[in-house]
Amino acid sequence: FSLCLYLISPLVPEMATQEVQLNETLSHLKTESDTLKTKLEEERAKLHDVELHQVAEKVDGLGQFVMKTRRTLKGHGNKVLCMDWCKDKRRIVSSSQDGKVIVWDAFTTNKEHAVTMPCTWVMACAYAPSGCAVACGGLDNKCSVYPLSLDKNENLAAKKKSVAMHTNYLSACSFTNSDMQILTSSGDGTCALWDVESGQLLQSFHGHAADVLCLDLAPSETGNTFVSGGCDKKANVWDMRSGQCIQSFETHESDINSVRYYPSGDAFASGSDDATCRLYDLRADREVAIYSKESIIFGVSSVDFSLSGRLLFGGYNDYTINVWDVLKGTRVSILFGHENRVSTLRVSPDGTAFCSGSWDHTLRV
Amino acid sequence: MTINTLAKGGWDREQMACFRKMEKVIVAMQDPDMGMKMRNQRLLITVIPHAMTGRDMIAWLIKKYSICEEEAVHLSGMLVRYGYIYPLKEPRSLVLRPDESPYRFQTPYFWTSTRWPASELDYAIYLAKKNIRKQGELMEYEKERYSLLHKRINHTWDFVVMQAREQLRASKQRRKADRIVLECQEQAYWLINRPPPGAHNVLDMGLERPNNFSARVTLVSDIITFIYIETCRRALGRNRVKSSICLEGFVKYSEQYQNHDPIMQGCLPSNPWISDDTAHWTMSSEIVPTPTRLRVERWSFSFMELLKDIMGMREFMLYLEKEFSAENLCFWQACEDIRHGESSRILEKVEDIYKNFLAPGAARWVNIDSKTMDKTLQGLRHPHRFVMDDAQMHIYFLMKKDSYPRYLKSDLYKNMLAKAIVPQETKKSVFPFMRRQRHSSPSPAQAVIQVTEEDGHAKGAGRAGTNSAAGSHV
């Protein structure tokens, strides 16, 4: 990083000439970056020989879908910001603006655990793969892990473990394949991988120019990558081992609020404030589909695929959920019911249902 | 009225984009050729021109955007909520009634985006006007806010009162119809920008996202640019695949998994969320005496599907034992355990792996090519989480290319498939109003406690699985 050392030097006032050189270097950096970007776009376009909807012409269209709310979970006192499913396919954890994190058995709608965080705006929560703990964080700039105890009298907050520390709010967190590691993204522009037991930082990921809002782990065979989306309109794919950014996509016109891998791991979808969802293919290294409609004006807060990847569900800021045919690019259905923004949306692990959380204080399955 | 300059920040980006889009719709609605037809509406004894009904709006939206009625109602509802259209009857209730109720377009002067954000000073002037006009008969919450403002901006209060009086005087000189319209418009504007307590606040934007590093510290932004350049360079050297091949892959994948997608095809015997019957989950739990047919079929979709499923992995292990190559799978499991396990136990686990699988003469020696073996042994001098990665990948692909396809052709697999059950579809209940009792299930947390308390006891039902290496617990 010798270039960076050179950049730091002009803080010494007498080096006026070096400042002039510095400005030239900076502008060179910018032009080089722009040139490379254009070159990359050209390279990507070379192999783009067909559009997704053309390939999908031979596929049967989807009929009308009737999707109803099967459960409504009431109990949060303020906006629901995030939720995650347990691997047992029926339990979920949800977090809200008032600092409460609740674990529900969504099937019976019973609350099983509740934790009050010491901060408001708990924007991220995740269920551990074992089902024995949950992680959450938000304005406290940390990610904490709470082991779930069945002793009703036990104060869950007592066993809390502080794992991640950022210099700005925590926007998303996810356990990797086990309870031992957590991946986080933050308003400080970085993502980080942490060892739960020791709280040690294992790897940090720099490359976003603004707040990172979301992340998702790849379901691939070698399981070493993840994707993140941020306020800089970029979606970056990272190598977890080296910390390097392997691929970067910038086609959205506004903040990317949600990213989610296609079930095969060969692609991922993103949802943005520009009211579109987009599909990016990792092997073709480009955007391959845009899901938008003139009548859809408000931003997408959250996206997820159905089990087969044929359907893409998007939660929007106009309180609706739009269901897209991933292959044909058309909208299959629009769901109403929430009375405020849909802030989070996840399909259950076995694909039997999906859960949406909203600023109207409720969650629906 | 005072006009504020736009504040910079994340809120602005999001809000402004939405406002602009809504304004596009509004402008289209007022297009002389393709827009909506307007009429005069009677309000008590005055006639208000240029009004339309809720029903007209919905019809126009349906036609223009090819959407269904429900969506058109929702969209026009949003236009009302954001103040682009206001109701003439019951002006304090900003909802869209899909009937003959009259509505009017808000003047661009009073669009939320025009004077964003709404200023305290303007609100004070508005309340002062109202106070004078209604001779002190403001609503309760308005009275509270008025006195609060009076305290907060006391230094400019004379200006506030003067402006209020001036505006009232000017409005008296207008025609009654115009005056009523202006009052309606102004009221609608403030209902949105200063909603009454308890009312839905459409302008609630949540947390501010102000961080745009390029705007702030140039040093950080240059590092980011530098990183981006590196990423681009790397990306340029990437092998790309033709779009036609990639996209075909999606079609194939969706086709293959369609029957397994409960939301698309339903699931047998029934979707628990719809029927309240958890039979589907019971039949698909981690360990069952007889797995379902769909589940066994999935094992043939990809090697990863087989390994992801505990039962699949178990069956594959049985097969490998028959072929005397079970050490490969054991090795892979042990490597996974290192990759995803506690940092503190990496050293000990690496040593175990070396002893059992890599050392010359090891009990379960795995056959890795010499190049990978050398590299791995080198890496063992300074063991870390990923030191086994190359070896693990080598063995993984070995199994995938060789043992896995043979397993799928084997009798072991074929028998599994043959005796797999296909659950009967549960017909919808004869008495649809009778709700089944929804039974709770043991919490995964509880199951683990059982295991630790009762040594050697079988795992509880519904317990979530982790990548467990041979014999190790969470």
Side-chain angles (χ1 to χ4, degrees):
Chain A
F1 256 81
S2 54
L3 182 62
C4 294
L5 291 172
Y6 187 73
L7 293 169
I8 294 170
S9 66
L11 294 173
V12 181
E14 57 261 30
M15 296 187 192
T17 44
Q18 277 204 10
E19 245 183 74
V20 174
Q21 285 174 341
L22 177 70
N23 285 332
E24 282 175 6
T25 315
L26 294 183
S27 60
H28 280 166
L29 217 54
K30 210 48 189 66
T31 38
E32 188 177 357
S33 160
D34 291 335
T35 325
L36 279 173
K37 187 171 178 202
T38 323
K39 233 172 140 190
L40 187 58
E41 294 306 316
E42 281 168 14
E43 283 298 309
R44 282 172 167 171
K46 278 185 191 160
L47 289 175
H48 190 59
D49 50 347
V50 72
E51 295 293 330
L52 181 55
H53 63 86
Q54 289 171 298
V55 172
E57 259 158 35
K58 58 175 186 245
V59 180
D60 286 338
L62 297 173
Q64 278 289 17
F65 268 86
V66 177
M67 274 178 267
K68 295 193 197 147
T69 304
R70 303 289 172 180
R71 301 286 190 277
T72 306
L73 304 178
K74 298 192 185 161
H76 275 293
N78 212 318
K79 306 181 173 71
V80 176
L81 301 175
C82 186
M83 60 85 40
D84 190 19
W85 287 89
C86 175
K87 284 232 165 83
D88 76 351
K89 312 156 196 171
R90 51 189 284 171
R91 283 177 171 77
I92 65 171
V93 61
S94 61
S95 65
S96 100
Q97 183 192 346
D98 62 0
K100 285 240 168 43
V101 175
I102 301 181
V103 175
W104 319 68
D105 177 349
F107 187 69
T108 58
T109 73
N110 292 337
K111 299 187 202 37
E112 294 193 340
H113 306 269
V115 176
T116 308
M117 294 277 286
C119 67
T120 56
W121 287 92
V122 187
M123 289 172 272
C125 63
Y127 223 118
S130 68
C132 302
V134 292
C136 48
L139 276 189
D140 56 350
N141 301 356
K142 297 198 218 137
C143 184
S144 312
V145 176
Y146 291 85
L148 296 175
S149 156
L150 280 161
D151 181 352
K152 292 292 174 192
N153 296 325
E154 178 147 21
N155 182 9
L156 286 182
K159 288 253 177 79
K160 157 178 152 177
K161 199 168 194 177
S162 238
V163 173
M165 287 271 282
H166 279 279
T167 53
N168 212 308
Y169 66 87
L170 191 84
S171 54
C173 65
S174 174
F175 283 89
T176 61
N177 281 25
S178 75
D179 285 17
M180 306 298 157
Q181 295 173 296
I182 290 189
L183 193 57
T184 58
S185 66
S186 163
D188 66 12
T190 69
C191 299
L193 183 64
W194 309 83
D195 178 67
V196 175
E197 212 185 18
S198 60
Q200 204 194 4
L201 173 68
L202 296 172
Q203 183 64 262
S204 67
F205 306 90
H206 297 264
H208 276 290
D211 310 25
V212 187
L213 298 176
C214 51
L215 56 84
D216 192 31
L217 278 144
S220 76
E221 299 180 291
T222 43
N224 270 328
T225 59
F226 74 94
V227 62
S228 67
C231 288
D232 57 355
K233 312 177 204 166
K234 289 216 191 93
N236 291 337
V237 180
W238 308 86
D239 180 325
M240 275 180 7
R241 290 173 29 169
S242 62
Q244 279 184 341
C245 175
I246 322 177
Q247 284 169 285
S248 185
F249 303 92
E250 192 177 346
T251 59
H252 270 293
E253 293 162 18
S254 189
D255 302 4
I256 297 179
N257 296 312
S258 175
V259 285
R260 193 71 61 206
Y261 271 94
Y262 185 79
S264 72
D266 292 327
F268 69 89
S270 60
S272 157
D273 278 344
D274 67 4
T276 68
C277 301
R278 295 174 196 235
L279 187 67
Y280 297 90
D281 186 306
L282 294 170
R283 294 175 303 172
D285 192 30
R286 57 174 293 124
E287 171 196 287
V288 291
I290 304 182
Y291 306 100
S292 68
K293 213 169 178 318
E294 240 189 317
S295 58
I296 298 178
I297 290 175
F298 289 80
V300 189
S301 63
S302 195
V303 294
D304 204 356
F305 286 98
S306 72
L307 191 133
S308 64
R310 182 68 192 270
L311 299 174
L312 180 69
F313 300 98
Y316 288 71
N317 290 340
D318 66 355
Y319 326 165
T320 65
I321 294 168
N322 285 288
V323 186
W324 301 90
D325 180 335
V326 171
L327 300 177
K328 294 204 182 264
T330 53
R331 188 192 52 195
V332 167
S333 187
I334 176 168
L335 307 174
F336 302 93
H338 277 297
E339 292 163 16
N340 206 326
R341 285 195 192 196
V342 178
S343 53
T344 177
L345 188 154
R346 295 293 290 264
V347 172
S348 76
D350 63 351
T352 48
F354 71 89
C355 178
S356 60
S358 159
W359 281 14
D360 67 4
H361 310 191
T362 69
L363 293 126
R364 287 168 179 246
V365 177
Chain B
M1 271 203 159
T2 53
I3 296 182
N4 285 315
T5 48
L6 290 168
K8 299 263 177 277
W11 275 345
D12 255 49
R13 278 197 312 272
E14 191 188 334
Q15 274 291 40
M16 278 304 151
C18 292
F19 287 149
R20 297 282 169 249
K21 288 185 201 160
M22 280 191 277
E23 283 151 24
K24 250 181 88 180
V25 178
I26 293 293
V27 166
M29 279 172 121
Q30 294 177 77
D31 182 85
D33 302 315
M34 301 297 292
M36 297 187 42
K37 51 181 187 347
M38 314 288 273
R39 3 163 154 207
N40 292 340
Q41 289 286 340
R42 283 204 101 78
L43 194 70
L44 299 176
I45 51 168
T46 26
V47 175
I48 313 280
H50 307 308
M52 61 244 170
T53 65
R55 206 189 291 282
D56 286 342
M57 273 197 277
I58 291 166
W60 186 87
L61 285 170
I62 291 177
K63 193 153 161 250
K64 165 98 176 154
Y65 294 109
S66 320
I67 53 181
C68 64
E69 179 167 348
E70 209 180 355
E71 192 176 357
V73 170
H74 180 82
L75 182 55
S76 43
M78 293 309 269
L79 292 172
V80 176
R81 276 198 222 239
Y82 275 86
Y84 288 99
I85 294 171
Y86 61 92
L88 291 172
K89 270 202 225 144
E90 289 180 65
R92 293 192 72 84
S93 164
L94 295 176
V95 290
L96 180 99
R97 276 171 240 283
D99 50 25
E100 300 302 312
S101 315
Y103 292 84
R104 271 194 110 221
F105 288 111
Q106 178 65 286
T107 168
Y109 182 77
F110 276 122
W111 283 354
T112 306
S113 56
T114 311
R115 34 196 6 91
W116 171 262
S119 83
E120 280 202 322
L121 195 61
D122 288 339
Y123 192 43
I125 295 170
Y126 168 69
L127 287 177
K129 274 198 298 187
K130 218 173 171 190
N131 201 26
I132 295 171
R133 236 187 29 228
K134 300 212 166 180
Q135 292 156 322
E137 284 307 306
L138 290 177
M139 306 200 79
E140 214 32 68
Y141 76 91
E142 283 174 332
K143 279 197 190 132
E144 283 172 38
R145 290 181 186 175
Y146 191 50
S147 55
L148 255 166
L149 279 168
H150 183 85
K151 282 196 202 108
R152 246 208 316 262
I153 56 173
N154 198 294
H155 49 284
T156 47
W157 206 251
D158 290 338
F159 175 71
V160 169
V161 175
M162 185 195 75
Q163 271 290 304
R165 289 215 180 100
E166 184 56 38
Q167 288 181 18
L168 280 174
R169 195 191 57 79
S171 76
K172 280 209 179 80
Q173 295 178 343
R174 292 200 184 93
R175 277 184 9 213
K176 184 163 184 201
D178 290 344
R179 191 165 62 232
I180 293 179
V181 163
L182 196 58
E183 275 167 18
C184 259
Q185 290 173 337
E186 198 177 15
Q187 181 179 239
Y189 174 79
W190 288 111
L191 276 173
I192 289 161
N193 284 279
R194 291 286 186 274
H200 183 81
N201 180 8
V202 276
L203 297 178
D204 186 356
M205 292 302 301
L207 268 193
E208 174 69 85
R209 296 171 190 164
N211 304 312
N212 191 331
F213 302 150
S214 345
R216 285 185 343 198
V217 187
T218 33
L219 177 63
V220 177
S221 103
D222 296 324
I223 295 178
I224 300 292
T225 316
F226 187 70
I227 293 175
Y228 184 65
I229 290 174
E230 286 299 299
T231 311
C232 278
R233 287 225 183 90
R234 242 178 281 128
L236 278 168
R238 247 187 112 76
N239 280 331
R240 270 174 212 87
V241 182
K242 265 200 299 187
S243 286
S244 45
I245 299 177
C246 301
L247 301 177
E248 196 59 48
F250 294 139
V251 175
K252 286 213 177 70
Y253 189 93
S254 295
E255 236 172 318
Q256 192 179 40
Y257 280 85
Q258 183 155 325
N259 290 340
H260 299 252
D261 189 338
I263 293 182
M264 289 193 56
Q265 301 278 111
C267 61
L268 301 171
S270 64
N271 189 323
W273 299 101
I274 301 178
S275 66
D276 288 349
D277 175 24
T278 58
H280 172 76
W281 285 334
T282 318
M283 286 183 211
S284 320
S285 42
E286 297 249 300
I287 315 277
V288 282
T290 324
T292 61
R293 195 187 178 86
L294 276 179
R295 181 177 179 176
V296 181
E297 267 175 21
R298 263 175 95 157
W299 298 349
S300 68
F301 288 176
S302 74
F303 191 35
M304 198 167 68
E305 283 286 355
L306 179 68
L307 291 184
K308 263 196 326 196
D309 187 336
I310 285 189
M311 281 193 77
M313 180 139 65
R314 206 174 61 171
E315 286 296 305
F316 190 54
M317 183 71 90
L318 282 172
Y319 176 73
L320 290 179
E321 276 165 10
K322 288 212 174 111
E323 302 243 309
F324 304 105
S325 54
E327 68 277 0
N328 286 339
L329 188 56
C330 294
F331 176 69
W332 183 85
Q333 286 173 333
C335 290
E336 279 290 282
D337 195 34
I338 292 185
R339 276 207 322 161
H340 301 294
E342 307 97 310
S343 292
S344 55
R345 293 189 58 203
I346 290 179
L347 256 167
E348 96 182 52
K349 288 180 184 173
V350 169
E351 276 175 22
D352 271 342
I353 288 190
Y354 177 72
K355 238 184 0 198
N356 291 324
F357 299 99
L358 297 175
R364 291 192 284 183
W365 192 78
V366 285
N367 197 352
I368 308 175
D369 67 286
S370 52
K371 191 165 152 223
T372 313
M373 181 65 99
D374 286 341
K375 192 166 169 213
T376 308
L377 292 176
Q378 276 270 349
L380 287 184
R381 300 216 190 118
H382 306 282
H384 57 89
R385 185 176 294 273
F386 303 110
V387 73
M388 292 293 171
D389 270 17
D390 288 338
Q392 182 183 8
M393 238 194 305
H394 179 91
I395 295 292
Y396 178 84
F397 283 112
L398 191 67
M399 290 192 288
K400 179 178 172 181
K401 291 216 172 75
D402 183 36
S403 316
Y404 173 61
R406 284 190 287 114
Y407 166 68
L408 291 179
K409 297 201 190 93
S410 73
D411 286 336
L412 199 63
Y413 177 70
K414 292 204 176 118
N415 288 339
M416 202 67 180
L417 198 59
K419 58 177 185 146
I421 48 179
V422 181
Q424 278 275 33
E425 184 185 356
T426 310
K427 298 284 185 227
K428 289 221 171 71
S429 165
V430 179
F431 304 99
F433 302 107
M434 235 162 65
R435 242 237 298 209
R436 285 184 113 115
Q437 233 226 327
R438 294 168 181 171
H439 296 283
S440 52
S441 73
S443 163
Q446 183 176 44
V448 175
I449 292 173
Q450 273 178 358
V451 171
T452 52
E453 278 175 1
E454 306 157 26
D455 283 345
H457 197 281
K459 300 186 179 78
R463 183 189 153 198
T466 55
N467 273 323
S468 48
S472 67
H473 284 306
V474 167

